[in-house]
Amino acid sequence: MNFLINFSIYFKAFNEAGFKREAIKVLEELTNNAVDENRFNDASYYYWMLSNEYLQVACDAPNDNIRAKSLRKFYQFQHLAEIYYVYQHLHSYVV
């Protein structure tokens, strides 16, 4: 829990400092690690955060091409967040 609180603080600081791309890369790495380590609840949360970041990128996009790519990422990560949320319950039941 403390990790998530600290991560949220650092993630917000990265974004506010103008390092959005770096913040997203760190979040993507954390997401991949969570999946690799079978921490599916964390993966779901990280995918949800990623989807929200890409939605924000789409809203701030300077052109339609970037907006379209960001919206595709938003929908992709939103879908994965839902899948991993459900899968966590299935995985804990089976294992």
Side-chain angles (χ1 to χ4, degrees):
M1 184 66 172
N2 285 337
F3 173 76
L4 287 177
I5 292 169
N6 289 337
F7 171 74
S8 296
I9 292 169
Y10 293 128
F11 188 76
K12 184 178 178 183
F14 261 93
N15 276 327
E16 289 175 356
F19 297 110
K20 184 174 269 310
R21 184 173 298 174
E22 290 82 0
I24 289 174
K25 284 184 185 242
V26 168
L27 187 54
E28 287 174 342
E29 187 66 31
L30 283 171
T31 305
N32 292 332
N33 289 343
V35 171
D36 290 344
E37 296 168 5
N38 296 333
R39 294 182 294 115
F40 302 116
N41 200 40
D42 290 344
S44 172
Y45 176 70
Y46 294 147
Y47 274 124
W48 176 79
M49 286 183 68
L50 275 169
S51 72
N52 286 331
E53 286 302 310
Y54 278 102
L55 182 60
Q56 186 62 46
V57 169
C59 290
D60 298 338
N63 62 53
D64 290 339
N65 187 31
I66 293 173
R67 186 175 299 110
K69 286 180 182 180
S70 297
L71 284 175
R72 279 194 297 276
K73 288 275 195 179
F74 163 74
Y75 288 119
Q76 174 189 3
F77 290 142
Q78 190 72 32
H79 183 69
L80 287 170
E82 292 170 356
I83 288 172
Y84 280 109
Y85 179 77
V86 171
Y87 188 74
Q88 169 61 34
H89 298 290
L90 295 172
H91 184 263
S92 64
Y93 179 74
V94 172
V95 173

